[in-house]
Amino acid sequence: MLALVSRTGRHLQRYDEGRRQVVGCIPYRLKITSQTSLEAEEDLEVLVISSQKGNRMSFPKGGWESDESIKEAALRECIEEAGVQGIVQCELGKWRFKSRSKGTYNEGYMFPLLVNKQLDLWPEKDVRQRIWMSVRKAREVCQHEWMKEALDEFVRRLGSKQQNQEEEVGTCSVS
C-alpha cells in the first residue's frame, strides 16, 4: 500500500563533508509509433513538476535518507512529488550545486525513471503540477542547470544506445 504522505524533516538526511545528499529522477516515457527505433528526442517525453511555492519547473528530487538506498530514495521522490512509479535505471551522474533556498551546497544524483504507472492520487498532488513534455521544452523550463546537464546526459545515452546496441542505458539492480 502506498502512503499518501510525504516524508518531512531532515533528521534522517545523509550528508557528505557538510553537503546534503539529494537524489532525483528524470521520469520518461517513449511515444508509441509504428517505427521500431527511437527517432532521437521526438519519441521521448519527460515529466517535469512545479515547485511547491511557484511556477518554477524541475524534475522530482529530494533528500536521500539514511534508512533507504539511493534508488529507493529516487523512486520515493518520484512517487511523492510527481505521482509516478517505474524502473529506476543507471545513475546519470553526480553534481554539486548551491541550494537557492538555504544557500548551502548539495550533491545531487540523477537517474532516469522509465514510468510504468501514473497515479491519480499522490502525496503532493495538491501542491504541484506535473506536465509531460518534449526534451527541448523541459530543457527550456527546468530551473536547475545541474538537472539540464543530467537531461543532456540521458539523451546522449539514449542516442548512443540507438547507434550502438551493445551500449545500454540499462536497468541497474537496486542497491
Side-chain angles (χ1 to χ4, degrees), residues 136-149:
R136 182 186 56 71
K137 182 69 174 169
R139 197 163 199 306
E140 288 175 16
V141 302
C142 184
Q143 66 176 332
H144 300 294
E145 191 59 38
W146 67 280
M147 287 185 174
K148 292 178 186 185
E149 291 174 13

Side-chain angles (χ1 to χ4, degrees), residues 2-9 20 23 47-54 56 58-63 65 73-84 119-131:
L2 177 66
L4 290 177
V5 179
S6 294
R7 283 187 167 196
T8 58
R20 182 172 173 239
V23 180
L47 185 70
V48 296
I49 58 170
S50 65
S51 61
Q52 286 186 353
K53 300 174 185 167
R56 294 183 299 175
S58 68
F59 296 108
K61 65 117 174 79
E65 299 187 357
L75 182 57
R76 176 181 50 78
E77 289 298 333
C78 285
I79 293 168
E80 287 179 359
E81 294 187 353
V84 293
L119 306 171
D120 293 328
L121 296 172
W122 69 96
E124 298 184 18
K125 176 182 174 40
D126 294 333
V127 294
R128 295 188 190 272
Q129 293 181 353
R130 63 180 178 193
I131 304 168

Side-chain angles (χ1 to χ4, degrees), residues 9-55:
R10 297 214 171 163
H11 64 283
L12 294 176
Q13 294 288 285
R14 291 180 191 245
Y15 289 83
D16 182 28
E17 297 179 5
R19 291 182 298 272
R20 182 172 173 239
Q21 305 289 285
V22 175
V23 180
C25 281
I26 299 174
Y28 76 97
R29 64 185 180 191
L30 301 174
K31 293 180 190 175
I32 299 172
T33 65
S34 60
Q35 298 175 343
T36 58
S37 66
L38 178 67
E39 291 295 324
E41 297 175 16
E42 289 80 34
D43 295 332
L44 176 65
E45 291 182 310
V46 294
L47 185 70
V48 296
I49 58 170
S50 65
S51 61
Q52 286 186 353
K53 300 174 185 167
N55 296 340

Side-chain angles (χ1 to χ4, degrees), residues 49-97:
I49 58 170
S50 65
S51 61
Q52 286 186 353
K53 300 174 185 167
N55 296 340
R56 294 183 299 175
M57 305 299 281
S58 68
F59 296 108
K61 65 117 174 79
W64 175 15
E65 299 187 357
S66 60
D67 64 343
E68 59 193 354
S69 72
I70 193 168
K71 289 185 177 181
E72 288 169 339
L75 182 57
R76 176 181 50 78
E77 289 298 333
C78 285
I79 293 168
E80 287 179 359
E81 294 187 353
V84 293
Q85 295 176 313
I87 301 166
V88 178
Q89 298 176 322
C90 291
E91 181 181 311
L92 294 168
K94 176 173 81 171
W95 288 265
R96 289 195 175 144
F97 64 96

